[in-house]
Amino acid sequence: MIWYPYEQMKTMKAPYQIIDAEGVTLHTEDQELIDSVSSWWSVIHGYKHPELNRAIETQLKKFAHVMLGGLTHEPVQKLSDKLQSWLPGDLDYCFFSDSGSVAVEVALKMALQYYINREETHRTMVLALEHAYHGDTFKTMEVGDDEDYHFVLKAYGKSQNVIHIPTEIGALERAFEKYHTRLNCFIVEPLLQGAGGMRMYDVSFLRRARELCNQYGVLLIFDEVATGFGRTGNRFVADLVLPDILVLGKALTGGYIGHAVTVASRKVYEGFYDDNPDHAFMHGPTFMGNALACSVALKSIELFEKGDYLSKIRKIEEITRCEMNGFSDPRIKEIRIMGACICIEVYDPATIDGYQQFAYERGVFSRPFLNYMYAMVPYVIKEDELIKVLDTLKEWFLKN
């Protein structure tokens, strides 16, 4: 029996059975659905893309996977080289893993050990954001701040090693002033906080964070698992403000295979590069650098570049702003738009009860949560398909 995510199995509604998928469309036995959430924000090129399919098929004829412990292979070497040349600044050192949550765990462990290697063992604290979500493994839950996902941690009591602050520069400055001697890192979802409610904030906060991290010798981590590869309208938010460690996942492989990467700057890497074996980074996911995942990731990046995806994302944002301009309803608290993301936050979660089925009947797959209705569409979506997604959101309020 399948144990489904984020569901009370006793009372859950039966999931929609998908029998095929192509482009931006999911197919059930009786319906065609525009996937408005890109399979948790990852399928940026759509489904059954012929070039992505071919990349996997070509590699599969050679081998599907070999471990990186004592072995290496061309796809992982090429992907590492591509990321080194493609990412900003000196984000050159790629540590691969099998999911975004694990990649964040790697980043947090890396930040802690960086200071342990320097014999600064007092730097055990992490600064993070209110409403943060970084994954569902244990350390990522601890740096997260969403009881709807992480209430199980109440069993341990309040964390002594994590401080959460709002996205306000004053709060940021006060936190650094108070805790800087004990901090090893500041971790953020830059500009757009995903599962915490699609909350959006200004780049000035990140610029000030970079200044304070420099001033006090604290590592800055960007969790761009959700925001990377264009979702905010920027290729990476790291192009605007350079972190010390960058985490990528989801769209890294075009949504084809679970894979992620934690990319370190030269400074961080050199904190481990030593004759002392105790300074080595002792971590090793079994499927890190999977050959199929690396092959499809390389092709995904190629499609992103040659398809001028940033222009596609600008067009998605332009259409979204135009279609939502002037739309309001007294039940709506706020409508937020950034890049290829729209969120409608309502005051009462009961307002959106039944919306998923309503959207299904109109040919749209949606997955609202709590008091948030949102869309993060594939970048290859056509204008009429995008308008259908947006019209469905608006129609819910007009008909209810």
Side-chain angles (χ1 to χ4, degrees):
M1 178 178 177
I2 300 171
W3 195 336
Y4 286 95
Y6 304 125
E7 293 283 0
Q8 172 47 259
M9 295 295 291
K10 186 174 183 178
T11 58
M12 72 172 281
K13 173 184 171 293
Y16 304 121
Q17 180 82 29
I18 302 303
I19 60 174
D20 197 2
E22 187 169 3
V24 302
T25 305
L26 302 169
H27 298 265
T28 69
E29 288 187 352
D30 60 358
Q31 187 63 291
E32 294 184 355
L33 303 168
I34 299 170
D35 182 1
S36 72
V37 297
S38 305
S39 271
W40 270 332
W41 328 335
S42 64
V43 184
I44 60 174
H45 309 291
Y47 296 93
K48 207 185 294 182
H49 192 289
E51 292 189 59
L52 297 180
N53 285 7
R54 193 155 48 247
I56 289 181
E57 290 163 358
T58 300
Q59 178 57 41
L60 190 57
K61 292 174 183 176
K62 300 174 183 177
F63 58 89
H65 176 70
V66 296
M67 63 189 280
L68 282 192
L71 303 172
T72 192
H73 53 80
E74 186 178 43
V76 75
Q77 292 167 339
K78 284 187 173 181
L79 179 57
S80 184
D81 289 345
K82 179 61 182 177
L83 290 170
Q84 180 177 354
S85 66
W86 205 49
L87 294 175
D90 62 349
L91 291 168
D92 295 340
Y93 302 91
C94 298
F95 191 96
F96 294 98
S97 55
D98 44 9
S99 74
S101 182
V102 172
V104 174
E105 294 276 357
V106 167
L108 295 168
K109 182 176 176 179
M110 196 178 281
L112 177 61
Q113 189 178 339
Y114 174 82
Y115 289 102
I116 289 174
N117 285 359
R118 293 158 55 101
E119 298 184 354
E120 297 182 46
T121 56
H122 57 282
R123 287 187 177 267
T124 57
M125 295 185 71
V126 174
L127 186 63
L129 296 180
E130 292 178 355
H131 309 293
Y133 176 88
H134 296 286
D136 293 330
T137 50
F138 263 72
K139 191 63 180 179
T140 61
M141 286 196 295
E142 187 182 12
V143 299
D145 182 44
D146 195 322
E147 289 189 357
D148 293 295
Y149 295 98
H150 306 147
F151 61 87
V152 66
L153 291 188
K154 287 182 178 179
Y156 294 106
K158 183 174 175 60
S159 173
Q160 301 301 306
N161 294 312
V162 180
I163 303 297
H164 291 101
I165 61 170
T167 52
E168 299 167 1
I169 290 178
L172 176 69
E173 292 174 337
R174 289 189 294 272
F176 269 90
E177 182 178 353
K178 184 174 181 180
Y179 299 108
H180 67 269
T181 60
R182 298 166 60 196
L183 292 174
N184 62 63
C185 70
F186 179 30
I187 184 169
V188 298
E189 300 160 274
L191 297 187
L192 171 63
Q193 295 181 270
M198 307 299 165
R199 298 169 187 271
M200 302 170 187
Y201 60 96
D202 191 75
V203 70
S204 60
F205 179 86
L206 297 175
R207 292 193 176 114
R208 184 60 179 141
R210 178 70 275 175
E211 291 172 353
L212 291 166
C213 285
N214 290 345
Q215 179 180 345
Y216 292 114
V218 175
L219 298 180
L220 180 59
I221 301 174
F222 278 8
D223 174 358
E224 293 219 51
V225 171
T227 62
F229 298 95
R231 188 58 66 180
T232 67
N234 307 284
R235 194 184 62 145
F236 302 98
V237 184
D239 289 330
L240 306 180
V241 177
L242 189 66
D244 299 293
I245 300 173
L246 174 66
V247 185
L248 303 175
K250 291 190 183 293
L252 174 66
T253 63
Y256 264 58
I257 302 177
H259 207 226
V261 62
T262 306
V263 190
S265 67
R266 176 175 291 277
K267 177 179 79 172
V268 174
Y269 178 78
E270 288 182 346
F272 295 79
Y273 193 73
D274 200 293
D275 291 326
N276 185 346
D278 292 341
H279 287 184
F281 188 56
M282 300 301 289
H283 204 89
T286 299
F287 295 103
M288 67 181 297
N290 173 266
L292 296 179
C294 291
S295 298
V296 77
L298 278 162
K299 182 57 67 174
S300 176
I301 292 171
E302 180 185 321
L303 292 174
F304 190 98
E305 288 184 302
K306 76 179 185 182
D308 190 13
Y309 271 45
L310 290 180
S311 291
K312 295 180 188 295
I313 294 161
R314 283 193 292 272
K315 186 66 175 177
I316 289 170
E317 180 172 1
E318 177 187 318
I319 292 168
T320 302
R321 290 190 181 279
C322 180
E323 292 297 315
M324 301 305 292
N325 184 40
F327 179 74
S328 64
D329 185 279
R331 294 165 290 183
I332 294 175
K333 181 179 180 180
E334 187 177 36
I335 298 176
R336 298 188 285 274
I337 299 169
M338 178 183 286
C341 174
I342 176 173
C343 176
I344 299 177
E345 181 179 355
V346 298
Y347 289 102
D348 183 355
T351 299
I352 57 178
D353 284 350
Y355 176 71
Q356 186 177 57
Q357 182 62 25
F358 176 88
Y360 177 90
E361 292 166 0
R362 286 151 183 80
V364 174
F365 174 67
S366 180
R367 189 176 166 86
F369 63 100
L370 303 175
N371 52 330
Y372 307 106
M373 307 165 73
Y374 78 96
M376 284 192 179
V377 296
Y379 302 152
V380 294
I381 195 168
K382 296 175 182 175
E383 182 170 349
D384 63 320
E385 294 168 328
L386 176 58
I387 290 173
K388 182 175 180 178
V389 170
L390 300 172
D391 282 348
T392 302
L393 287 167
K394 292 188 287 186
E395 187 183 354
W396 172 257
F397 292 96
L398 297 173
K399 289 204 169 189
N400 287 276

